[in-house]
Amino acid sequence: MAPRDPEAKKKQLLEAALAEFAEFGIAGARIDRLAKRAGCSAGLVYTYFGGKDELFEAVFDHVVVRAVSTLPIDARDLPGYAGALFDGQVAYPEVMRLAAWHRLESEGRGGIAAIREADLAKVAAIREAQEAGVVSSRFSAEHLLMLVINTASMWSVQTEEIAGLSDDDHARRRGVVVEAVRVLVAP
Amino acid sequence: MAPRDPEAKKKQLLEAALAEFAEFGIAGARIDRLAKRAGCSAGLVYTYFGGKDELFEAVFDHVVVRAVSTLPIDARDLPGYAGALFDGQVAYPEVMRLAAWHRLESEGRGGIAAIREADLAKVAAIREAQEAGVVSSRFSAEHLLMLVINTASMWSVQTEEIAGLSDDDHARRRGVVVEAVRVLVAP
């Protein structure tokens, strides 16, 4: 039986799939379980998305592209940008898990074009700030963007042993991220 | 039939399991496939290790503890230490993949005691270097160790889109890691 509101049902399915993939990854996710979470049949998932791989890509595109595009970069305030990135990762840990699964299970597929484009726009903004002398030219604009993102995601991407070295609250961790980026980009 | 040299066979099994887990993770790994890689029966894996989870922990303990303990820290030369960490990660990418699977699939189990202990010894060495004034006291010793390890692993832990921003060879990437750590730890 087709749902009365297909768009609403698709959205419910994407949300259920996000939770399922964040927890179990691509190989570990089960279509029947996530369909049940969304209150529909497994058959409907195949009708809408084709299969598990296609569903993962739909979820990934949806959340990662949204996350990347809704946080505008201020290349003249990279420490502040890193702090905002950190806040977003703490607020939506399932997006970071999704990205980690994607890295492990889809390696070598070249990544998602929309993300690469958004990153290139950020690199251009950083290069401008370098030319204006407000950001260090010690690193290339590409490497600076990498360093900023990598520093902001420290607590999300490192192992429990590393991330648990210091028993900090959110404000203290955010302070370390912002200060490290300040040091890295100081002209 | 019991193998003639059980220790040699166990080692072969650990190597085969490392390759299998690095590729597929815990949920995706298959005992029959890795037993075949090691040239033995699936039954022998259960006899030696109990089950898949126990086998993963044996492999993880084996390679990660070895990796952590064979790279001595020189707290007075943290940029050099970061460069050596980076070299190790490039030489043994399967160890980084194993750590990433472990983080995703064993979250909340508290991590491995031997690794935490090795990390605490490194923190103590950094604190000494801070007290001697050769390393910045802008960050706590714990945060500095995190920043050093996180910066060294930038190309291993970030997504393809981020890691592919700049088309560098090994020497150039290593140079960025070493220089970033130099800036972060400068007194």
Side-chain angles (χ1 to χ4, degrees):
Chain A
M1 205 174 71
R4 253 180 287 180
D5 184 347
E7 283 314 307
K9 186 48 85 181
K10 270 190 196 174
K11 217 174 156 188
Q12 255 178 302
L13 261 172
L14 283 174
E15 289 301 320
L18 169 58
E20 176 79 11
F21 284 124
E23 190 166 353
F24 301 107
I26 305 173
R30 279 173 42 202
I31 295 286
D32 57 341
R33 191 166 45 203
L34 74 88
K36 207 174 161 187
R37 284 197 210 217
C40 69
S41 70
L44 198 65
V45 178
Y46 291 101
T47 304
Y48 281 164
F49 297 99
K52 196 156 78 167
D53 282 348
E54 291 83 355
L55 177 59
F56 183 86
E57 284 182 23
V59 172
F60 196 69
D61 271 30
H62 181 63
V63 298
V64 177
V65 170
R66 188 184 55 189
V68 165
S69 57
T70 53
L71 198 67
I73 194 168
D74 178 356
R76 286 163 184 260
D77 179 22
L78 290 171
Y81 174 65
L85 272 182
F86 176 69
D87 291 338
Q89 292 175 1
V90 172
Y92 303 104
E94 67 276 17
V95 175
M96 294 304 287
R97 286 182 60 89
L98 215 64
W101 288 113
H102 183 253
R103 193 173 59 73
L104 284 169
E105 300 191 276
S106 311
E107 202 176 26
R109 293 198 200 166
I112 292 176
I115 299 180
R116 277 202 311 275
E117 275 166 43
D119 287 339
L120 288 178
K122 288 177 182 136
V123 167
I126 292 177
R127 192 171 294 124
E128 242 182 66
Q130 286 180 314
E131 283 162 5
V134 291
V135 163
S136 165
S137 295
R138 179 183 284 123
F139 304 100
S140 73
E142 287 85 357
H143 290 144
L144 263 184
L145 179 61
M146 287 190 70
L147 286 164
V148 169
I149 293 174
N150 188 57
T151 303
S153 61
M154 184 160 78
W155 269 280
S156 301
V157 298
Q158 293 298 323
T159 62
E160 270 187 276
E161 293 85 358
I162 300 294
L165 270 176
S166 192
D167 189 23
D168 312 309
D169 60 14
H170 181 83
R172 181 105 199 274
R173 291 182 175 187
R174 194 185 200 281
V176 172
V177 166
V178 170
E179 173 66 4
V181 170
R182 197 192 61 71
V183 171
L184 286 167
V185 307
Chain B
M1 204 173 71
R4 254 180 284 181
D5 183 347
E7 284 313 308
K9 186 48 86 181
K10 271 189 195 175
K11 219 175 153 187
Q12 256 179 300
L13 261 172
L14 283 175
E15 290 300 321
L18 168 58
E20 177 79 10
F21 283 125
E23 190 167 353
F24 301 107
I26 305 174
R30 279 173 43 200
I31 295 287
D32 57 340
R33 190 166 45 201
L34 73 89
K36 207 172 163 188
R37 285 196 210 217
C40 70
S41 70
L44 198 66
V45 178
Y46 292 102
T47 305
Y48 281 164
F49 296 99
K52 195 157 78 168
D53 283 347
E54 291 83 355
L55 177 59
F56 183 85
E57 283 183 22
V59 171
F60 196 69
D61 271 31
H62 181 63
V63 299
V64 177
V65 170
R66 187 183 56 187
V68 166
S69 57
T70 53
L71 197 68
I73 193 167
D74 178 356
R76 286 163 184 262
D77 179 22
L78 290 171
Y81 174 65
L85 272 182
F86 175 70
D87 290 339
Q89 292 175 2
V90 172
Y92 302 105
E94 67 277 17
V95 175
M96 293 305 286
R97 286 182 61 89
L98 214 65
W101 288 113
H102 183 252
R103 192 172 61 73
L104 284 170
E105 300 191 276
S106 311
E107 201 175 26
R109 293 197 200 167
I112 292 176
I115 299 180
R116 278 202 311 273
E117 275 166 43
D119 287 338
L120 289 178
K122 288 176 182 137
V123 167
I126 292 177
R127 193 170 294 124
E128 241 181 68
Q130 287 179 314
E131 283 162 5
V134 293
V135 164
S136 165
S137 295
R138 179 182 285 123
F139 305 100
S140 73
E142 288 85 357
H143 290 143
L144 263 184
L145 179 61
M146 286 189 70
L147 286 165
V148 169
I149 292 174
N150 188 57
T151 303
S153 62
M154 184 160 78
W155 269 281
S156 300
V157 299
Q158 292 299 321
T159 61
E160 270 187 275
E161 291 86 359
I162 300 294
L165 270 176
S166 190
D167 189 23
D168 312 308
D169 60 14
H170 180 83
R172 181 103 199 274
R173 291 182 174 188
R174 193 184 200 281
V176 172
V177 165
V178 170
E179 173 66 3
V181 170
R182 195 192 63 70
V183 171
L184 287 167
V185 307

